[in-house]
C-alpha cells in the first residue's frame, strides 16, 4: 500500500507540474500579445456538428451550422479575456460563414470585416491552395501596432499551422519575412 501512495503522490506532482508549465506558457503568451504586432488565428466558437447541411448557402445563416448557446458564451468570454488583459486589437477579419462572423462580433473587439481568404474549404467548398496561400501572405505581411485577429475554421488553421485546434482556441503567430512562427496557444474556456 505505501508504494501505491508514493506512486499517487508522484503522479499528482507530475500533473501539477504540467498544469503550472501550461499556465506559465499562457501567461507569457498573454504578455507578448499586450505588446502588439502579432496575429491571433482563432477557430470559431462551439458550433456542434461537422461541416454544413446539404442546403448550405453562404449569407443565409438558417442553412448553416451555427453557434450554440455555449459557443456564444465562449465567444463573449474570449473577447472579455482579451479586453481585461489589455490586448490591443487593431483589425478583425473573419470568414463569411455565420458561425465565424458571430464569434468575431460577439467578441466585441471592433468592426468585423468578412474576407474570402478565411472561408472554409471543407469538403471542397473553396480552393484550399489559394485560400491557404492568401492567408499565409496576409499573416506574414501584418505590421500593425496592435494585433490582427483572424476568425476562421479548423481546416484552415490545420492547413496553416499543421495541427488541429479546438472550438474557440487561439493560436498566436509572429509574422516573419515570408511566413510566421507560433508564439503560443490560448483556450479561454479551458484556462
Amino acid at each position: 500500500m505505501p508504494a501505491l501512495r508514493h506512486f499517487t503522490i508522484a503522479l499528482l506532482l507530475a500533473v501539477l507540474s504540467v498544469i503550472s508549465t501550461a499556465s506559465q506558457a499562457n501567461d507569457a503568451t498573454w504578455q507578448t500579445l499586450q505588446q502588439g504586432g502579432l496575429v491571433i488565428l482563432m477557430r470559431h466558437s462551439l458550433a456542434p456538428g461537422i461541416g454544413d447541411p446539404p442546403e448550405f448557402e453562404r449569407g443565409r445563416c438558417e442553412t448553416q451550422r451555427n453557434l450554440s448557446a455555449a459557443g456564444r458564451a465562449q465567444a463573449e468570454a474570449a473577447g472579455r479575456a482579451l479586453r481585461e488583459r489589455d490586448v490591443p486589437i487593431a483589425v478583425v477579419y473573419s470568414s463569411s460563414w455565420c458561425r465565424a462572423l458571430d464569434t468575431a462580433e460577439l467578441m466585441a473587439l471592433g468592426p468585423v470585416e468578412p474576407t474570402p481568404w478565411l472561408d472554409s474549404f471543407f469538403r471542397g467548398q473553396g480552393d484550399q491552395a489559394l485560400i491557404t496561400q492568401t492567408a499565409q501572405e496576409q499573416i506574414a505581411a501584418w505590421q500593425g501596432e496592435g494585433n490582427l485577429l483572424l476568425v476562421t475554421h479548423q481546416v484552415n488553421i490545420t492547413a496553416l499551422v499543421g495541427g488541429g485546434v479546438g472550438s474557440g482556441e487561439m493560436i498566436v503567430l509572429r509574422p516573419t519575412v515570408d511566413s510566421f512562427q507560433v508564439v503560443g496557444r490560448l483556450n479561454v474556456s479551458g484556462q
Side-chain angles (χ1 to χ4, degrees):
M1 198 66 158
L4 179 59
R5 189 173 330 135
H6 290 296
F7 174 76
T8 303
I9 291 171
L11 182 60
L12 180 59
L13 290 173
V15 169
L16 290 174
S17 173
V18 168
I19 291 170
S20 176
T21 301
S23 176
Q24 289 172 0
N26 279 347
D27 289 345
T29 302
W30 284 114
Q31 290 172 0
T32 303
L33 276 170
Q34 291 169 344
Q35 298 167 17
L38 302 176
V39 176
I40 303 168
L41 186 59
M42 179 180 185
R43 180 181 178 188
H44 61 77
S45 295
L46 185 61
I50 297 173
D52 285 290
E55 68 275 7
F56 164 82
E57 288 182 40
R58 200 175 334 205
R60 291 192 53 221
C61 294
E62 68 275 10
T63 69
Q64 300 178 28
R65 181 168 57 97
N66 292 296
L67 298 181
S68 64
R72 297 178 74 74
Q74 185 181 42
E76 291 169 349
R80 190 170 42 255
L82 289 162
R83 286 189 303 279
E84 287 173 355
R85 288 173 173 84
D86 295 319
V87 173
I89 302 296
V91 181
V92 180
Y93 289 127
S94 173
S95 158
S96 60
W97 267 240
C98 295
R99 58 187 171 270
L101 282 169
D102 288 348
T103 296
E105 289 169 0
L106 287 165
M107 291 175 76
L109 297 168
V112 177
E113 186 176 334
T115 181
W117 50 269
L118 292 174
D119 286 350
S120 177
F121 48 78
F122 186 68
R123 294 185 181 151
Q125 293 179 356
D127 183 336
Q128 177 180 351
L130 179 61
I131 289 170
T132 302
Q133 178 183 347
T134 305
Q136 288 170 330
E137 292 168 355
Q138 294 292 323
I139 292 167
W142 178 250
Q143 295 181 2
E145 288 187 26
N147 299 295
L148 173 62
L149 174 61
L150 307 176
V151 181
T152 188
H153 306 268
Q154 206 257 261
V155 293
N156 301 61
I157 294 171
T158 298
L160 287 164
V161 300
V165 62
S167 296
E169 188 173 1
M170 297 176 265
I171 298 181
V172 180
L173 308 172
R174 181 180 312 284
T176 61
V177 175
D178 59 354
S179 186
F180 54 83
Q181 72 180 69
V182 175
V183 172
R185 296 170 81 103
L186 299 169
N187 188 343
V188 174
S189 64
Q191 291 181 6

